[in-house]
């Protein structure tokens, strides 16, 4: 029996305000994406998806080669590359660097990878202040919550929730207009940017043949985080590498459209190492931290390794009927929705939160909209088989139930006896035990007084 957290699901399902927030936000994203990839706007959309899939497949199959190429190009531009196996190793590296440079304040932007490794919590335990600078992430940091959605982290909160939060945590008057809320956040964050010692970002893409880190965003905070502080640390999963700068056009065409319906996000930044002589801005030091954290485990399986193609657009979440009902916080890890359902069991093991691959109707909507053509339903089926295999020897109600069923079906006398008893006592069944509640709104079909077997025998005798 799978350990499904039904109580948590029911809390979300029974909250009409939350249901409306999830439904309307995801519907907006669905509509915007549909308009942006329509045939008259992007006639070669399907060809782009195929090309994106080919590039990712090629890169993941030759990951060692491209990571080495990336490293040598980053170093050639004056940066340093640090390979980390775990989140702890990342935190140790940043703490050590902060100590050496006497840093106290870190500003952060655009990084699901740091959410994945609980980066802020690690650093705050060592008295380093870490401030999220993307508005959605900043709101969540104040609310002590993790992201609800890959591209819209505070999707579940209304402007009234934000007004209460700002008032309670920042001591400002309640302000319900989003523009004014942005101004409040900006006033606080500008000061943080100016005083920050280190800027930490993620990376949307890492270009192997030039050593560039590419960041796409709509707010401009990543630019401030990477140019105002003296040190810039980009923390990214090893799967973010792509071979060449010209491959980027394929992904930039798909990412914004699939995520928010924008042909291109407002800012696309290419960062290549620290500030050079003659440049007016940029950090003095640049570090690229490449994180494994379980990713190399996925490389072993030629089919499941396609999970690493993900460009975190969030389209599969918006289109998933399960995500749209249970929301983002009911998924056990920072990655929610269909992509979370396939990568979480692969990173953490299929026996932990083993219900996850089953949290899908297998309708295929996720695969249909995925810009890099990850075969999500196929991977879910594969993971379901692995969960079943891992639980094969575990005693469970389901296992006992099917065992009893097999025993009855292979013993004709028992089968006949139960048929006889069933016909006699069937009308009482809905009135007893847990079925009582279930049967209150349902009418059970009546069982025929004589079974087919009895009728057949009587007919032959007569
Ligand atoms: S799996 Fe595909 S659709 Fe889902 S977030 Fe990743 S790239 Fe986007």
């Amino acid at each position: 029996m799978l350990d499904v957290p039904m109580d948590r699901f029911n809390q979300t399902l029974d909250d009409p305000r939350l249901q409306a927030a999830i439904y309307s936000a995801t519907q907006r994203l669905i509509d915007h994406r549909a308009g942006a990839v329509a045939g008259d706007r992007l006639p070669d959309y399907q060809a782009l998806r195929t090309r994106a899939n080919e590039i990712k497949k090629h890169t993941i199959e030759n990951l060692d080669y491209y990571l080495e190429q990336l490293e040598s190009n980053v170093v050639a531009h004056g940066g340093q590359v640090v390979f980390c196996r775990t989140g702890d190793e990342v935190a140790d590296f940043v703490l050590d660097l902060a100590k050496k440079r006497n840093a106290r304040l870190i500003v952060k932007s655009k990084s699901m990878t740091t959410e994945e490794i609980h980066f802020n919590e690690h650093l705050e335990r060592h008295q380093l202040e870490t401030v999220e600078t993307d508005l959605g992430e900043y709101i969540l940091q104040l609310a002590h919550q993790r992201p609800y959605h890959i591209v819209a982290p505070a999707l579940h909160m209304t402007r009234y929730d934000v007004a209460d939060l700002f008032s309670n945590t920042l001591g400002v008057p309640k302000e319900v207009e989003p523009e004014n809320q942005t101004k409040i956040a900006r006033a606080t964050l500008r000061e943080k940017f100016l005083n920050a010692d280190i800027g930490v970002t993620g990376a949307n893409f890492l270009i192997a043949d030039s050593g560039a880190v590419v960041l796409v965003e709509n707010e401009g905070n990543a630019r401030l985080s990477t140019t105002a502080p003296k040190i810039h640390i980009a923390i990214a999963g090893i799967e973010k590498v792509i071979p060449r700068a010209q491959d980027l056009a394929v992904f930039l065409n798909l990412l914004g459209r699939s995520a928010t319906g924008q042909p291109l996000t407002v800012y696309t930044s290419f960062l290549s190492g620290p500030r050079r002589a003659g440049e007016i801005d940029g950090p003095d030091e640049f570090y690229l931290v490449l994180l494994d954290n379980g990713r190399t485990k996925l490389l072993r399986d030629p089919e499941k390794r396609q999970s690493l193609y993900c460009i975190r657009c969030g389209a599969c979440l918006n289109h998933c009927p399960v995500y749209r009902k249970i929301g983002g916080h009911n998924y056990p890890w920072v990655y929610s929705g269909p992509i979370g359902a396939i990568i979480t069991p692969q990173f953490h093991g299929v026996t932990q939160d083993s219900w996850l691959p089953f949290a899908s109707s297998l309708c295929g909507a996720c695969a249909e909209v995925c810009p890099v053509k990850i075969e999500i339903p196929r991977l879910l089926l594969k993971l379901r088989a692995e969960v079943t295999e891992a639980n094969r020897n575990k005693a469970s109600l389901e296992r006992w139930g099917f065992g009893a069923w097999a025993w009855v079906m292979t013993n004709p006398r028992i089968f006949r006896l139960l048929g006889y008893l069933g016909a006699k006592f069937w009308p009482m069944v809905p009135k007893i035990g847990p079925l009582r509640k279930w049967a209150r709104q349902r009418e059970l079909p009546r069982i025929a007084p004589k079974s087919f077997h009895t009728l057949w025998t009587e007919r032959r005798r007569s």
Side-chain angles (χ1 to χ4, degrees), residues 261-275:
Q262 292 168 281
L264 201 60
T265 41
V266 177
Y267 301 96
T268 304
S269 307
F270 294 72
L271 306 159
S272 305
R275 175 160 47 94

Side-chain angles (χ1 to χ4, degrees), residues 29 110 112 149-154 255 259-260 312-315 317-318:
L29 292 167
K110 285 292 297 171
M112 283 297 278
H149 187 280
I150 294 177
V151 294
L255 180 55
T260 55
R312 310 277 189 258
C313 71
L317 280 65
N318 306 330

Side-chain angles (χ1 to χ4, degrees), residues 174-336:
K174 276 193 188 171
E175 178 54 72
V176 294
E177 286 308 318
E179 289 78 10
N180 295 336
Q181 291 174 344
T182 309
K183 281 181 193 159
I184 293 170
R186 189 190 296 154
T188 316
L189 291 174
R190 275 290 145 95
E191 204 165 309
K192 299 288 182 190
F193 282 123
L194 295 174
N195 294 318
D197 306 292
I198 298 177
V200 169
T201 66
N204 290 96
F205 304 98
L206 302 167
I207 304 177
D209 75 350
S210 64
V213 172
V214 181
L215 285 166
V216 298
E217 51 157 346
N218 281 324
E219 297 173 20
N221 298 342
R223 288 202 167 171
L224 282 167
S225 301
T226 55
T227 50
K230 285 196 161 56
I231 302 170
H232 172 209
I233 305 173
I235 303 174
I238 49 175
E239 81 285 8
K240 292 287 170 73
V241 67
I242 57 170
R244 307 165 307 165
Q246 55 262 53
D247 297 326
L248 195 61
V250 175
F251 295 103
L252 291 182
N253 253 314
L254 290 168
L255 180 55
R257 287 184 163 91
S258 303
T260 55
Q262 292 168 281
L264 201 60
T265 41
V266 177
Y267 301 96
T268 304
S269 307
F270 294 72
L271 306 159
S272 305
R275 175 160 47 94
R276 275 159 247 167
E279 289 181 346
I280 51 167
D281 58 14
D284 295 343
E285 299 173 51
F286 170 74
Y287 301 89
L288 173 61
V289 177
L290 291 170
L291 177 68
D292 178 351
N293 206 30
R295 286 161 172 81
T296 43
K297 274 194 290 187
L298 276 63
L299 293 173
R300 279 182 223 136
D301 186 311
E303 196 173 10
K304 286 194 291 177
R305 69 167 76 122
Q306 61 177 301
S307 317
L308 295 173
Y309 300 177
C310 177
I311 55 171
R312 310 277 189 258
C313 71
C316 58
L317 280 65
N318 306 330
H319 290 76
C320 175
V322 177
Y323 177 90
R324 296 187 78 194
K325 292 310 287 181
I326 68 168
H329 283 170
N330 283 318
Y331 289 83
W333 203 24
V334 63
Y335 304 110
S336 51

Side-chain angles (χ1 to χ4, degrees), residues 314-378:
C316 58
L317 280 65
N318 306 330
H319 290 76
C320 175
V322 177
Y323 177 90
R324 296 187 78 194
K325 292 310 287 181
I326 68 168
H329 283 170
N330 283 318
Y331 289 83
W333 203 24
V334 63
Y335 304 110
S336 51
I339 183 62
I342 59 169
I343 60 173
T344 309
Q346 295 186 72
F347 277 55
H348 296 167
V350 288
T351 49
Q352 197 177 324
D353 300 302
S354 51
W355 56 271
L356 254 181
F358 296 84
S360 166
S361 63
L362 296 180
C363 64
C366 49
E368 214 169 284
V369 297
C370 177
V372 285
K373 285 192 167 179
I374 300 174
E375 299 166 296
I376 299 173
R378 180 192 281 268

